[in-house]
Amino acid sequence: MAELTSVLNGHRLAAPQRALPSVLIATRHGESTANVEFQLAAETGALTVPITSRDADIPLSLHGQRQAHHLGRWWASLPAADRPRAVWCSPYLRTTETARIALAQACGLGAVPVGLPVRYDERLRDRELGILEMLTAAAIEKEHPAEAARRRKMGELYYRPPGGESFLDVALRMRSFLRDLCEEEDGRAVLVVSHDCPVLMLRYILDRLTEPQLLELHAVRNCSTSLWRSLDGRLRPEHWNSVSHLD
């Protein structure tokens, strides 16, 4: 954004620069046990998944733990100025495990100081699905056909399941989160550990996407990295949904 100026007594006065982190990196948690079960259900058309815990308590799978280790090594490989010195994290178990493992790996490689704090923020939690929570696609079609039809008609951006959130509801809390993050982490590199929908909404907000542009995006991959860099008063995208570090 061009520098804003005002004129006072014939002099041009530069407005204060907007507070921004130097680098913002967003990642989705590593593969969870629910990711495994719902993928299997999608492939088989199953009506149920063997998950009894609440969504907030779902842990990483063993593969997800390995992905978090790779994320930590990628963190350590960044140029010194780009290595996050602050971590903001969803309070759900699968995200806290991802942050803990990645941070321990980065610390072990000497990339960040031991004891770097992790800040947990409820606005980074996963999208709430209300009556559709923990239901497979086949179960939604069978048990809530009217909701399935309404979802198709309205589109994911606007559809809000009873008791749950639409994408735009998540966007509202992410806008609030970004305001606080920018003010508190001005000039620092930051890592955000969250879920697929909140990370999508970060892209939607920061890159000023339209609905069609948003819906064209692929799902956010587990332990992928998306990076924005402060430039000309805005956070501008450098890469999106990259998993090259997981190879």
Side-chain angles (χ1 to χ4, degrees), residues 21 23-27 71-72 74-75 78 82-91 95-107 111-113 115-122 124 177 181 184-185 188-194:
V23 170
L24 172 60
I25 299 169
T27 187
L71 177 65
W74 175 83
W75 182 351
L78 290 171
D82 290 351
R83 293 173 194 160
R85 290 297 189 270
V87 180
W88 292 57
C89 185
S90 158
T95 43
T96 62
E97 287 185 333
T98 300
R100 175 182 56 79
I101 293 170
L103 180 57
Q105 185 72 24
C107 286
V112 296
L116 186 77
V118 177
R119 178 164 176 174
Y120 301 101
D121 194 299
E122 71 283 351
L124 292 172
F177 166 76
L181 177 78
E184 297 188 32
E185 304 295 352
R188 294 210 294 176
V190 181
L191 173 66
V192 172
V193 185
S194 189

Side-chain angles (χ1 to χ4, degrees), residues 33-34 37-38 49-59 133-134:
T33 55
E37 295 297 345
F38 274 92
V49 290
I51 298 173
T52 57
S53 67
R54 61 179 186 164
D55 189 27
D57 297 328
I58 292 172
E133 185 167 309
M134 292 299 166

Side-chain angles (χ1 to χ4, degrees), residues 11 32 47 50 79 107 110 114 122 132 153 166 175 183 187 189 191 200 222 224 232-233 246:
H11 299 285
S32 71
L47 292 174
C107 286
V114 175
E122 71 283 351
L132 304 186
K153 179 179 180 180
S166 67
R175 290 181 190 279
E183 288 179 2
L191 173 66
L200 272 175
N222 293 115
S224 63
D232 298 330
L246 302 182

